[in-house]
Amino acid sequence: MIVTIDGPAGAGKSTIAKLLAAKLGFRFLDTGAMYRAVTLAALRRGVPCQDATGWAELAKQLEIRFLDQRVLLDGEDVTDPIRASQVTAHIRYAADNPQVREHLVKLQQEIGRRGDMVTEGRDQGTVAFPHAECKIFLTASPEERARRRVRDLQQRGERPSFDEVLAQQMQRDRRDSCRAVGPLVQAPDAIEVDTDSMAIDEVVERLVEIVVTRRHAGLGEPGYKKLQEAAVSPRDDDAQELCLH
Ligand code: DC
């Protein structure tokens, strides 16, 4: 079974997808890490940002692997370097490149053929796995996502301004949604889960319910609609903040 989790930056996709996969005993795929790994390699090798063909050729030569929650690029553990702000600042040269996307989507589909998996990104339910059995669109208000990002940066010893973080995030949202290939859009058959004022455990529990129901219910259209209605109304008990790593 393939479970796709798409949504904007700061919605909690990685944290939630990892926990969900662990609970279900599924593999977990962080597709953002693949775009990050290509970007890191291109920057290290000095491939010019405007050389779209060069970026695509390089992407095809790289070996990107996931091992015990670590990301390996040609055998080197790059889990931390791919999160550097210099990589984030250049990631659009990989993410907006149709040939890079085509190659990475193929790799994602190959990984998906190996069995049960939770995969997270922007285009997993729309482009990579349009026939996935369970699709989630994880979201939260822009302000809440920016608050989480500020807390995350503060925990790393930075002193970010909320307004700046919000502005950068809106720019990233726009870029993700307006991308010509593989834009961030909610698949028509994805269930939207708004994580505003939900604790991590609550979100995971909700998603487990959705996955289990999708797997066992043998859903017809009315059952699916019902499930969708049930899934989108957030609970207000025990509300805690969602912390991102
Ligand atoms: O989820 P993240 O922040 O690690 O993703 C890094 C970038 O990669 C982000 O700017 C959007 C892009 N991305 C994408 O275009 N398609 C995906 N499936 C995953 C990430």
Side-chain angles (χ1 to χ4, degrees):
M1 180 183 202
I2 301 289
V3 179
T4 62
I5 302 185
D6 291 306
K13 296 185 302 294
S14 299
T15 308
I16 300 297
K18 223 177 272 175
L19 291 169
L20 177 67
K23 278 223 166 197
L24 297 169
F26 285 16
R27 286 164 313 134
F28 160 66
L29 181 62
D30 172 359
T31 61
M34 300 172 90
Y35 289 92
R36 288 177 179 278
V38 171
T39 304
L40 178 68
L43 292 177
R44 281 179 171 177
R45 294 180 198 197
V47 184
C49 291
Q50 310 312 332
D51 181 6
T53 308
W55 278 59
E57 288 306 316
L58 173 62
K60 287 175 196 162
Q61 289 162 19
L62 300 174
E63 186 200 52
I64 302 169
R65 285 195 302 136
F66 295 88
L67 190 68
D68 296 334
Q69 311 268 346
R70 311 298 296 174
V71 185
L72 303 184
L73 175 61
D74 289 334
E76 178 195 344
D77 184 347
V78 292
T79 314
D80 295 325
I82 59 169
R83 305 272 151 207
S85 50
Q86 212 211 354
V87 171
T88 308
H90 290 85
I91 207 146
R92 65 180 181 278
Y93 298 105
D96 292 351
N97 184 318
Q99 288 169 284
V100 171
R101 295 201 76 86
E102 191 187 351
H103 175 66
L104 293 186
V105 165
K106 262 190 208 147
L107 289 184
Q108 292 153 17
Q109 291 169 336
E110 263 170 40
I111 298 171
R113 274 194 281 276
R114 292 181 211 148
D116 294 333
M117 176 170 87
V118 176
T119 177
E120 65 100 347
R122 306 293 192 284
D123 59 347
Q124 295 302 283
T126 48
V127 177
F129 299 100
H131 304 298
E133 294 90 334
C134 185
K135 300 182 187 177
I136 310 284
F137 193 80
L138 206 62
T139 185
S141 65
E143 292 75 17
E144 176 56 23
R145 291 188 284 122
R147 269 195 293 276
R148 292 173 187 166
R149 179 76 182 141
V150 166
R151 268 202 306 275
D152 190 32
L153 291 170
Q154 282 170 342
Q155 277 166 11
R156 294 182 199 193
E158 296 185 31
R159 298 200 155 276
S161 119
F162 175 82
D163 290 344
E164 252 174 53
V165 168
L166 183 62
Q168 281 168 3
Q169 182 188 270
M170 286 169 91
Q171 202 182 15
R172 214 170 150 199
D173 284 353
R174 248 194 316 276
R175 201 175 292 135
D176 276 349
S177 310
C178 298
R179 181 169 294 129
V181 187
L184 171 66
V185 284
Q186 181 171 351
D189 53 347
I191 296 176
E192 184 177 318
V193 176
D194 184 338
T195 66
D196 265 21
S197 67
M198 282 178 87
I200 292 178
D201 287 356
E202 267 185 294
V203 180
V204 175
E205 202 181 298
R206 177 75 54 83
L207 298 201
V208 168
E209 274 169 29
I210 295 171
V211 173
V212 169
T213 315
R214 289 291 280 158
R215 191 162 216 186
H216 295 295
L219 295 162
E221 188 58 20
Y224 181 61
K225 279 263 153 56
K226 236 171 151 182
L227 170 69
Q228 222 173 0
E229 282 160 21
V232 292
S233 50
R235 288 192 227 148
D236 54 12
D237 54 321
D238 263 339
Q240 290 170 38
E241 302 288 2
L242 184 76
C243 301
L244 302 178
H245 302 293

